[in-house]
Amino acid sequence: MDDATVTAPAPDEDIDLAYDVFARSCPSRHTLEHVTGRWGALTLGALSENTLRFNELRRRVDGVSEKMLSQTLHALERDGLVHREDRQTNPPRVEYRLTPLGESVAERLLSLIELIEGKMPEVLAAQHRYDGRRPA
Amino acid sequence: MDDATVTAPAPDEDIDLAYDVFARSCPSRHTLEHVTGRWGALTLGALSENTLRFNELRRRVDGVSEKMLSQTLHALERDGLVHREDRQTNPPRVEYRLTPLGESVAERLLSLIELIEGKMPEVLAAQHRYDGRRPA
DNA sequence: CTGTATCCGAGTGGATACTG
DNA sequence: CAGTATCCACTCGGATACAG
């Protein structure tokens, strides 16, 4: 991938428009999708509580398949949000933890998740109203 | 859909575990996906700045198709995050705006988005390191 | 302008089996 | 335990055409 596809920020200026998620070619979109994607969000959430091993994560993130968890972890590791530590022991023991960057991302993500969880009664009420008006 | 599939909260108690996004059957997962999904996040972000009409949204959310925008807006409206107002005029004029609930969700979402945009240099550096170690 | 309907390819994602 | 590899169903999502 080419990383120069976006409005190139002059290194000696502080441009706050450097990365704009609203632009379709901005690399921040990919990272945002890793973070907010179906399994990315839950994985970051789980790791914000503890360092976890692969199968511990699988159990914590209810419903994720091996394939998706593996894929998700690779993407998050590549983005520098998750650190993978292979203890090289027998039996194998691999631990996943958040990097400092991952922690700050997870913090804001969890704030969003908790808000939504707390507002679910309102959301469900809205859904019922909507479905009632459009019974099709 | 059945809305009683989750740990039913006793109406007269304040249980903060009532909706747990980590449980695969929790309805909050659907809402979280609408909010954080590829187009949901950008749509909420765009509407947090202004009330917008359909085609204004299409232009703001660079790359979205009519179909996806329509679908996204329906989901967000159903969840009670977006209000749709049809002016019933000719030519047609339909405005989309955030509800109060939508605003609080968008606020936290934008906080996350802005963090990621700001950290993109770190993320890209991490990606290069990762790709360098695993050139395959 | 504001959408819906249809087609269709590309990617998602689950189940299973297998390797180290 | 910690994954990878493969198969395959299904959905996503874009392009296009059309409707109110």
Side-chain angles (χ1 to χ4, degrees), chain B residues 70-89:
Chain B
S70 174
Q71 216 171 86
T72 300
L73 285 168
H74 279 311
L76 294 177
E77 189 194 352
R78 192 173 104 96
D79 289 343
L81 303 175
V82 163
H83 176 71
R84 175 184 186 276
E85 183 172 359
D86 187 343
R87 298 303 187 88
Q88 300 281 14
T89 61

Side-chain angles (χ1 to χ4, degrees), chain A residues 107-119:
Chain A
E107 187 184 344
R108 305 208 183 183
L109 186 60
L110 279 175
S111 156
L112 175 64
I113 288 176
E114 283 160 14
L115 174 66
I116 291 177
E117 286 177 344
K119 296 294 188 181

Side-chain angles (χ1 to χ4, degrees), chain A residues 26-117:
Chain A
C26 185
S28 63
R29 272 208 187 170
H30 295 98
T31 302
L32 180 64
E33 282 172 33
H34 298 156
V35 168
T36 61
R38 186 170 181 186
W39 302 119
L42 297 175
T43 301
L44 289 173
L47 288 177
S48 76
E49 301 164 354
N50 303 294
T51 291
L52 290 172
R53 299 168 62 184
F54 189 82
N55 279 318
E56 290 173 336
L57 266 170
R58 270 198 77 189
R59 283 186 291 272
R60 178 72 176 121
V61 181
D62 189 22
V64 70
S65 67
E66 291 184 353
K67 179 185 171 181
M68 283 302 105
L69 182 56
S70 175
Q71 216 170 84
T72 300
L73 286 169
H74 280 312
L76 295 176
E77 189 194 351
R78 192 173 103 96
D79 288 342
L81 303 175
V82 164
H83 176 72
R84 175 183 187 276
E85 183 172 359
D86 187 343
R87 299 302 188 89
Q88 300 280 15
T89 60
N90 190 317
R93 182 178 188 89
V94 179
E95 291 180 351
Y96 293 91
R97 79 189 63 197
L98 295 184
T99 64
L101 179 54
E103 280 176 20
S104 58
V105 167
E107 187 184 344
R108 305 208 183 183
L109 186 60
L110 279 175
S111 156
L112 175 64
I113 288 176
E114 283 160 14
L115 174 66
I116 291 177
E117 286 177 344

Side-chain angles (χ1 to χ4, degrees), chain A residues 31 34 78-80, chain B residues 122-132:
Chain A
T31 302
H34 298 156
R78 192 173 103 96
D79 288 342
Chain B
E122 273 187 55
V123 169
L124 294 176
Q127 289 178 353
H128 283 144
R129 260 180 279 120
Y130 184 91
D131 294 343

